[in-house]
Amino acid sequence: MKRYEKLADEIAALIRTGLLAPGEKVPSVRHASRTYGVSASTVFQAYYLLEDRGLIQARARSGYFVREHARRPLHEPQLRAGAAQATEVDVSELVFSVLGSLKDPHTVPFGSAFPSPELFPLPRLARSMAQSVRDMPSHAVIADMTEGNPDLRRQIALRYMLSGVRLPLEELVITNGAMEALNLCLQSVTEPGDLVAIESPAFYATLQVLERLKLKAVEIPVHPREGIDLDSLADSLQRLPIKACWFMSSLQNPLGASMSDAKKAALYELLQRHQVPLIEDDVYAELHYGAQPPKPVKSFDREGLVMHCGSFSKCLAPGYRVGWVAGGRHAQRIARLKLMTTISPSVPAQAALADYLQHGGYDRHLRKLRHQLESQQGSMLASAARHFPADTRVTRPSGGYFLWFEFAERVDALQLFRLALAQGISLAPGPIFSATRGFGHCARLNHGHPWTAQSEQAMQILGRIIASF
């Protein structure tokens, strides 16, 4: 990372934490140059980068100021805790009905689960695919099917080192995307009828997996900024025979919540005392806005209790369907289950990703992607403040591409979904994120697509529909 990029990240962190508030003047170029010990040219480059990211703006003869992302800032949603109970899961029909309506390419994709493919280096990945297939030894087509491409596994292990995890290669199992990894993890530690602690709200695919495997959900409330409510989890572990936990400790979908390192350590200690395994869904780990990647709970694991799942689908290559799991003490069981079902992800796709990670400038791509997503988050927050009712609440995640909106209780999210779709706008209504079909006045919106005049108009239309309830 260049010096001006590091300086830009430092100032961006001050803005995100509120030390530099909206409308406040950023230190002058001369002052910043003295304070940070860099040249005026470096400061100018950093400020230009922050302008591109939508965080600051220049005012004639006045200097640089933090952009007012919201003229009327919306408040954060509140944690709603209660005693958790085991729940039979039956949400697939609702989820499929919502997802089936999102396929029209002309619909504004606020309901999408992916960022825009325009943000990914697909032509460069295609060159990596061609190169790696040409260079692939003939025996590798078969040999790499069981354990996975060795170069890819090494590259993944190196990225674990960045977050403080020294991972033995034999613990890594390459899978058909993160969803297969998560399914295999759950199958390795549960039987039909078992109880699994999940988040509330939870990613709807979590609910569908539990439903398919005939498992019962124990919903643990999630604070919109701080993550899992550990008191509620401790109470549930004490009262109920929970066999596994499935949590997202960083940039949780749909809230975007991220647990602190201290809270992640406390979560691990709690699960270690009860000897309950954790399936850590960490598919958004690379989409953090700050300079340092968040530590996974896996980094605190001393006993192989944590099965850590990742993927390239959300940050690099959605269609390649390559994920993985660091399975801890369950790695062998997971690998055998995989061989009994899908055998292997695409060997050429694995080789292409390995080549790109080694030679394609992955970190450069990630920095550009994070900056774009952060800028688009600011655009959506500002637009929501302009167009949504004043009693709307919204999250402000430190990464990813989702915002969670909580509207007045009179708003019916499923009806909002239908009315918006009739206007060519998709969204993800709250009830699809709950085993009990809660969050009936909430919705998740995706800001992972370039912000355009159409996006702004869609927010204005949504605001009018919400106000009509």
Side-chain angles (χ1 to χ4, degrees), residues 126-147:
R127 293 200 299 274
S128 283
M129 175 73 83
Q131 182 68 42
S132 59
V133 170
R134 278 197 303 268
D135 296 344
M136 186 183 297
S138 57
H139 71 273
V141 176
I142 303 300
D144 290 353
M145 287 179 67
T146 51
E147 294 184 343

Side-chain angles (χ1 to χ4, degrees), residues 188-204:
S188 71
V189 295
T190 64
E191 298 288 343
D194 283 346
L195 275 59
V196 178
I198 63 169
E199 295 155 330
S200 180
F203 178 41
Y204 48 75

Side-chain angles (χ1 to χ4, degrees), residues 94-114 204 402 417-418 420-421 424-429 432-433 444 446 449:
L94 175 60
V95 172
F96 284 135
S97 69
V98 170
L99 297 184
S101 61
L102 304 181
K103 295 178 180 178
D104 185 347
H106 302 294
T107 300
V108 179
F110 291 160
S112 171
F114 291 93
Y204 48 75
F402 296 125
F417 164 75
R418 289 187 283 268
L421 200 61
I425 305 163
S426 70
L427 54 84
I432 69 172
F433 299 95
R444 188 197 72 184
N446 179 325
H449 294 249

Side-chain angles (χ1 to χ4, degrees), residues 58 165 175 340 442:
V165 180
T175 60
M340 292 164 62
C442 301

Side-chain angles (χ1 to χ4, degrees), residues 80-86 195 197-198 218-221 228-243 245 247 266-267 269-271 273-274 276:
R80 299 186 180 188
Q85 302 296 328
L195 275 59
I198 63 169
V218 178
E219 294 189 311
I220 309 298
I228 279 288
D229 182 356
L230 291 184
D231 290 338
S232 178
L233 176 61
D235 173 70
S236 296
L237 289 170
Q238 191 69 38
R239 292 186 297 106
L240 302 169
I242 292 171
K243 292 298 179 67
C245 296
F247 298 151
L267 169 61
E269 295 299 328
L270 176 61
L271 297 179
R273 285 199 302 275
H274 289 270
V276 173

Side-chain angles (χ1 to χ4, degrees), residues 374-425:
E374 185 173 22
S375 173
Q376 290 164 195
Q377 184 193 86
S379 296
M380 181 171 275
L381 285 169
S383 187
R386 284 192 292 272
H387 301 304
F388 287 8
D391 55 1
T392 302
R393 293 178 176 269
V394 64
T395 54
R396 286 174 173 77
S398 58
Y401 51 91
F402 296 125
L403 294 178
W404 177 260
F405 287 87
E406 180 182 288
F407 307 115
E409 294 201 7
R410 64 181 179 276
V411 176
D412 181 335
L414 290 173
Q415 179 68 359
L416 170 62
F417 164 75
R418 289 187 283 268
L419 292 171
L421 200 61
Q423 296 288 328
I425 305 163

